[in-house]
Amino acid sequence: SQTIHQWPATLVQPVGSPLSLECTVEGTSNPNLYWYRQAAGRGLQLLFYSVGIGQISSEVPQNLSASRPQDRQFILSSKKLLLSDSGFYLCAWSAKLAKGNEQFFGPGTRLTVL
Amino acid sequence: DAKTTQPTSMDCAEGRAANLPCNHSTISGNEYVYWYRQIHSQGPQYIIHGLKNNETNEMASLIITEDRKSSTLILPHATLRDTAVYYCIVRLNTGFQKLVFGTGTRLLVSP
């Protein structure tokens, strides 16, 4: 069966510090990968998606970047965090040939920027 | 993606069926209805989806009206662990699609 991991689970960082969040998927190959952010009490906002290694698309201009160095690894980064980067970061995957195209989410990383 | 309308909150007694409605009057012919839920402080969880036929899986049933302008998610025997925010989404069934969650319905299952 497929599983998706994210770490760390929680993170408290000062403004201006760098960020690296990691997501890995097991039990599938060549998935579509997604990074979402959920601000407190708000809906999901798609940040990045990737259809393959080294292929990253950005949905909104922001202070963050993403990379996909391996097929099942997706990394979210920032060189200098802003207060507005606080939120609940969710990684998700979907199978390219899945009939239903449903997305499966990881447990999330709660980031607080102080 | 078509817009959906859901009640803000609902209550349900443990062991009873929870019926969660969703209106999607502007849905197009090739858009599917998806349901996800999010338990507090966890990632969203896929529940079920359908096009025009009723669907059932181990988690829930999905009833879509004949005109496809509304649907109902049914949790046949709600448990305390079903307390969550439930999101109804309509979207195309293509290879890549971002998920756009509205405010959803906050379901509270009580003993």
Side-chain angles (χ1 to χ4, degrees), chain A residues 59-79:
Chain A
E59 277 291 296
V60 295
Q62 59 205 305
N63 183 43
L64 303 168
S65 61
S67 62
R68 184 170 177 175
Q70 300 179 42
D71 180 46
R72 291 168 290 176
Q73 184 185 29
F74 207 19
I75 297 172
L76 184 69
S77 305
S78 173
K79 293 182 179 179

Side-chain angles (χ1 to χ4, degrees), chain A residues 4 23 32-36 90-94 103-106:
Chain A
I4 178 168
C23 169
N32 293 323
L33 295 173
Y34 312 81
W35 276 113
Y36 289 88
L90 292 154
C91 180
W93 73 273
S94 66
Q103 293 183 19
F104 301 95
F105 287 80

Side-chain angles (χ1 to χ4, degrees), chain A residues 12-95:
Chain A
V12 179
Q13 292 285 95
V15 169
S17 64
L19 173 74
S20 181
L21 303 181
E22 189 163 345
C23 169
T24 58
V25 181
E26 296 178 356
T28 187
S29 60
N30 196 26
N32 293 323
L33 295 173
Y34 312 81
W35 276 113
Y36 289 88
R37 177 170 59 202
Q38 189 174 37
R42 305 284 295 277
L44 287 179
Q45 179 187 34
L46 179 66
L47 302 176
F48 300 95
Y49 66 91
S50 171
V51 299
I53 296 175
Q55 301 178 62
I56 309 294
S57 297
S58 174
E59 277 291 296
V60 295
Q62 59 205 305
N63 183 43
L64 303 168
S65 61
S67 62
R68 184 170 177 175
Q70 300 179 42
D71 180 46
R72 291 168 290 176
Q73 184 185 29
F74 207 19
I75 297 172
L76 184 69
S77 305
S78 173
K79 293 182 179 179
K80 290 185 178 181
L81 284 169
L82 306 172
L83 287 174
S84 58
D85 291 325
S86 293
F88 191 40
Y89 288 83
L90 292 154
C91 180
W93 73 273
S94 66

Side-chain angles (χ1 to χ4, degrees), chain B:
Chain B
D1 291 344
K3 183 177 178 179
T4 62
T5 305
Q6 299 177 251
T8 303
S9 63
M10 294 184 65
D11 294 326
C12 180
E14 188 178 20
R16 304 296 294 270
N19 297 288
L20 299 156
C22 179
N23 288 322
H24 32 79
S25 58
T26 59
I27 190 170
S28 63
N30 55 353
E31 285 183 315
Y32 285 67
V33 180
Y34 286 76
W35 283 83
Y36 283 76
R37 73 179 183 184
Q38 189 171 20
I39 296 170
H40 183 63
S41 295
Q42 296 184 22
Q45 178 187 24
Y46 164 80
I47 301 173
I48 199 168
H49 76 281
L51 182 62
K52 51 185 174 182
N53 298 320
N54 297 338
E55 303 286 344
T56 295
N57 63 20
E58 65 278 4
M59 289 184 67
S61 295
L62 174 60
I63 309 297
I64 303 174
T65 58
E66 192 169 345
D67 63 8
R68 303 206 329 119
K69 293 184 176 182
S70 65
S71 61
T72 300
L73 178 74
I74 301 173
L75 307 178
H77 305 286
T79 70
L80 299 179
R81 289 177 294 181
D82 291 323
T83 293
V85 179
Y86 288 77
Y87 298 98
C88 170
I89 303 159
V90 293
R91 58 199 283 256
L92 296 172
N93 186 26
T94 57
F96 163 74
Q97 278 280 296
K98 65 181 178 182
L99 287 175
V100 180
F101 282 24
T103 54
T105 296
R106 187 172 298 277
L107 176 68
L108 176 62
V109 181
S110 303

